[in-house]
Amino acid sequence: MNEYEYISDYFNGLLSAGETARFDEKIQQDPAFAESVAFYLQAMQQVKEQVAEEKKKRFREVHEREKQRLEKGNVPLIFMRWKSIVVAAAVIMLCAITWLLWPAPTPASIADKYIKENFAELHVTMGKNDSTQTAADLYNKGKWKESLAIFEQLAAADSLRTTVIKNAGIVSLQIKEYDKAIRYFRQLESNARLTINPGKFYHALTLIKRNQPDDKQEAKQLLQQIVLQDLDGKEQATEMLKHW
Amino acid sequence: MNFPLRALHSGDQAIINGLVQAGTEKRKAEDQLFITYRYFIREGMQKYNLEEEDVFDAYSDTVLAAIDMIVAGSFEGRSSLKTWMFRIFQNKCVDLIRKKTTNKNSIHKTAPFSELLHKLSDASKTIVQQLVEKADADLLKQKLGELGEKCRELLMLSADGCTDKILAVQLAYKSADVVKTTRLRCLEKLRQLYKNLLPNE
C-alpha cells in the first residue's frame, strides 16, 4: 500500500482497529512517516483553505451582483415612491391653495347662484296663450324690460294673480329694479292663501342684491324667520346664514 | 444521504439536497444558500456595529462552515436552517470582535487539522503538531498553485467533500480506485514540489 493511501485510509476511517493502533505507533517510532503524516495534514488543510478562498471569492461576486440587482430594482421603486409622494404633495398643495384662494361662499354669492340657477327661465302653465305666456316668452328671450312691462300691466289689473306678481318681481330683480322687485315680493309674501310661497325668500334675495344700508340686516332677519317658520327657501336660507 | 430533518422549509430542503450533489448542482446550492441568508450581513452590521467587509467575511465563513457540516451530515434539522445558521453567524461575529484587535486574518481560518488530529493519540498528536509548525505554509500554498491544473482540481474537489466515486463520474475517470490513485499521486507530486525535488510545471 502506498504511504499516502495508508495515511488517507487512516484519516478516512477505513483502517481496522489493529491497523489504526499500528498507524499511531508508527508515527511515534518512524520520524519519516510522522513527517509524511504532517505533510498530508498540512496539504489537506492548505487545499481546504484554497477551496474556501475560491468559494469566498465567488460569494463576493454573488454578493456584489445581488447588491447591484437590488439597487437597480430599487431605483424605480424609490423613484416611484418619490413620484407618488410628489404627486400627493402637489395634490394636497393644490387643494390647500384652492381652499385658501377660492372665495368662501357668502350670502351674496349664494344669492347670485340661486338667481342664476332658478331665474334663468320663467315657466307658465302649458297651453296658455295669454299675456302671461307672452311676458314669459319675452323674458326667456332676454327681453326683460318688455317682459316686465306686460307683467306690470297684468299685476296692476289683478293683484291676486300670484304667478304674475312673482314673475314681475323676478324680472324687476333681474333688471336691477330692486325697489320694485321688493314691492312685488312683499305683495306675494302677504298672500296667505298660497301653500307654496317663496315671497319672503325672494324678498331677502333682493335685499342682499340691493345691498343698501340695513338691507343685509333685514335680509338676515327674513332668512332667520324663513328657517324658524319653516317657509319656502329654508334650505337656501340656512346655507346663507351659515356663511353670514 | 439521509438527513433526519423535521419540518424544514421547502427552499431550505432544496438547498440541502443540492449541497450533497456534485458539480454545478452543488455550486448552485452554495450560491443559493449564500443569497438566502445574505441579509444576515445587514443584521450583523447593525447588531455588532461592524463594517460591511468584516461582516461579509463572518457571513462567508458561516456559509462555508454550514456547507461543510451539511455535507458531513452534521446538520440534524432540529432547528430551521435559518436559526442554525444564525447561531453560527453570531458566533463568527463574536469571534470577529474578539480577534479584531489581535490578528484579523486568523479568524477566517478554521482551526488547523483539528478534525483530523483528534483521531491520533496525544503522543502522536504532539509529534505531528510540532512537525506542522515547522513547515512553511506559504511555500506549500505557492507550490499548490504550481501543481498542474488537473491535480489541483482533483485535490480541491476531494477536499470539498466529493467522494472518489463521484469524482470518477464527474471527471470521467474509469473508476473510484483510479481517482484515489491519481489523487494520492498528486499529493506525492505536491510534496516533491514542496521539497524542491521537482522542477516547476
Side-chain angles (χ1 to χ4, degrees), chain A residues 65-80:
Chain A
R65 205 169 49 235
E66 283 295 301
K67 260 166 77 174
Q68 280 178 6
R69 190 179 65 81
L70 289 173
E71 277 165 14
K72 272 184 190 171
N74 280 342
V75 167
L77 191 67
I78 289 164
F79 178 70
M80 292 264 293

Side-chain angles (χ1 to χ4, degrees), chain A residues 182-206:
Chain A
I182 286 168
R183 265 200 318 274
Y184 285 119
F185 291 141
R186 272 189 179 146
Q187 202 176 330
L188 182 69
E189 202 181 322
S190 62
N191 192 332
R193 293 181 299 140
L194 291 173
T195 47
I196 298 172
N197 191 339
K200 194 168 275 191
F201 178 63
Y202 289 174
H203 181 184
L205 283 182
T206 312

Side-chain angles (χ1 to χ4, degrees), chain A residues 49 56, chain B residues 50 53-62 64-65 91-111:
Chain A
E49 279 179 16
K56 277 174 110 171
Chain B
L50 290 165
E53 198 58 31
D54 291 330
V55 187
F56 170 82
D57 281 335
Y59 177 64
S60 295
D61 285 342
T62 301
L64 291 174
N91 291 335
K92 296 275 181 196
C93 286
V94 171
D95 284 349
L96 174 72
I97 294 163
R98 280 189 195 138
K99 293 176 183 176
K100 212 172 183 315
T101 49
T102 53
N103 184 358
K104 193 177 173 180
N105 292 326
S106 66
I107 64 148
H108 307 315
K109 295 176 184 173
T110 51

Side-chain angles (χ1 to χ4, degrees), chain B residues 33-51:
Chain B
L33 180 67
F34 180 88
I35 291 167
T36 304
Y37 300 107
R38 202 173 65 95
Y39 64 89
F40 285 3
I41 296 174
R42 197 181 57 247
E43 289 187 8
M45 285 166 69
Q46 288 167 351
K47 188 172 178 184
Y48 299 105
N49 197 25
L50 290 165
E51 296 293 320

Side-chain angles (χ1 to χ4, degrees), chain A residues 110-128:
Chain A
I110 297 169
D112 284 338
K113 191 168 175 259
Y114 183 89
I115 291 164
K116 195 178 172 186
E117 288 173 1
N118 295 276
F119 297 163
E121 282 190 340
L122 291 180
H123 301 280
V124 288
T125 312
M126 293 294 288
K128 274 196 171 179

